[in-house]
Amino acid sequence: MKAVVKRRRTKGMEFIEVPTPKIGLRDVLIKVKIASICGTDVHIYDWTRWAQHRFTPSRIIGHEFVGTVAKIGEEVTQVKTGDRVSAESHLTCGHCYQCNNGHSEVCRNFKLLGVDHDGTFAEYLVLPEHVLWKNDENIPDEWATIQEPFGNAVDTVLAEDVSAKTVLILGAGPIGLFATSIAKACGASLIIVSDPNNYRLAISKKMGAHIAVNPRRQDVVQLALDATQNNGVDVVLEFSGNNQALNQGLKIITPGGRISVLGIYERRVNMDLNKDVIFKKIRMYGITGRKVFSTWYKTSRFLSSGLVDPGPVITHQFPLKDYEKGMKLMKDGKCGKVILNM
Ligand code: NAD
Ligand code: ZN
């Protein structure tokens, strides 16, 4: 089969022929239809500092996908040949303290698809059945593939309710854009989105932003205060991984409000914990992954019911062999979500 493989400890990847994987008793062979590119894949492509510490070549990359079950192991009971599936990208252990207490999103022994286990940028993929998600028939393939990052957005927005609240979203990458549509669907009364990328700000308007602001050109703090009768916003959702943006968010949040942080920072962050968190009595939520599978149910319902339309975020499609075009668009920020057709 054809696959995108990271074979060397240097920038780049290869589109090559590799053996089709074999299944074990509880495994499932999936014929991938569509995979989508995540920032993690770009880090691995570029061989950034994070990738150098976290990734061991050689491996097929990618963790977002939709496909159909091609073959099942002898002990598989939950799916059958022909089922249209996606999967939780965290291959959890199922027996650590966290897994046993309903927090498998922070499983102590999880393996990441496309990093620790051969990934989705391939014609075929093998996964244990316990991470598979059967897709709702009302969700088209182009949407089914983005359920994994959409789930990140669901957990970030819904850490507390947003109904009739004022919300600031920092970072309009694919996940911040999904979050914008979720906040809108949940009845946020004011949604401000901040991003230095005008291409993405334009998409944020389609996803439900009332105000789209470029922090390089405008004073985000002043603008948010003006829009909230000087109160500041009830909710800040941080998707930029930018320290300056985080501090803006903490300044803009109204005392007693909450912030959910999904963005990942390149370095240790600087913040004024006393002034901006403790004395303001802010609730700060760290968000990682998705709840398995309660978040998948919510994601599926947002997408199948018509409550949100992720369409405007999916900006480009390429055949798998042209994956490098997608990597380049991602690096330049001239895209929303890029999907790859097998
Ligand atoms: P992305 O890199 O596509 O989006 C980040 C956006 O932030 C970009 O559009 C960028 O222009 C914008 N940005 C940069 N500086 C900014 C500033 N000062 N103010 C406002 N916006 C600014 O990433 P994504 O795929 O949408 O993911 C969002 C974040 O979540 C990333 O940091 C990613 O690493 C992180 N992430 C975390 C998890 C988790 O489990 N915690 C999972 C997936 C992604
Ligand atoms: Zn575990």
Side-chain angles (χ1 to χ4, degrees), residues 178-245:
F178 294 144
T180 306
S181 63
I182 295 162
K184 177 83 173 179
C186 294
S189 60
L190 173 71
I191 304 172
I192 305 170
V193 176
S194 171
D195 196 306
N197 179 328
N198 286 331
Y199 178 96
R200 290 178 163 182
L201 281 182
I203 304 176
S204 79
K205 288 290 227 178
K206 295 186 189 157
M207 302 309 282
H210 300 98
I211 302 174
V213 47
N214 185 327
R216 294 213 180 114
R217 307 223 175 106
Q218 286 160 284
D219 180 343
V220 185
V221 177
Q222 194 53 50
L223 186 144
L225 289 173
D226 291 346
T228 55
Q229 295 84 41
N230 264 338
N231 285 320
V233 296
D234 300 311
V235 178
V236 173
L237 307 173
E238 210 308 278
F239 299 101
S240 74
N242 180 288
N243 197 160
Q244 220 180 344

Side-chain angles (χ1 to χ4, degrees), residues 92-110 288 292:
T92 51
C93 77
H95 53 68
C96 70
Y97 184 78
Q98 278 64 30
C99 283
N100 283 339
N101 282 283
H103 286 293
S104 62
E105 71 277 17
V106 279
C107 167
R108 305 267 276 278
N109 309 308
F110 80 93
T288 187
V292 189

Side-chain angles (χ1 to χ4, degrees), residues 37 318 322-331 335 338:
I37 307 181
F318 298 106
D322 292 339
Y323 70 98
E324 282 182 300
K325 289 184 185 162
M327 296 281 180
K328 174 145 194 346
L329 283 167
M330 297 271 292
K331 272 194 287 185
C335 60
V338 178

Side-chain angles (χ1 to χ4, degrees), residues 116-150:
D116 307 307
H117 179 104
D118 274 334
T120 62
F121 287 18
E123 287 177 273
Y124 289 92
L125 161 75
V126 168
L127 283 171
E129 72 166 327
H130 79 271
V131 297
L132 294 185
W133 175 255
K134 277 195 253 181
N135 287 311
D136 186 293
E137 60 185 26
N138 292 317
I139 300 177
D141 289 337
E142 290 76 9
W143 297 12
T145 185
I146 55 89
Q147 291 173 104
E148 196 257 15
F150 194 95

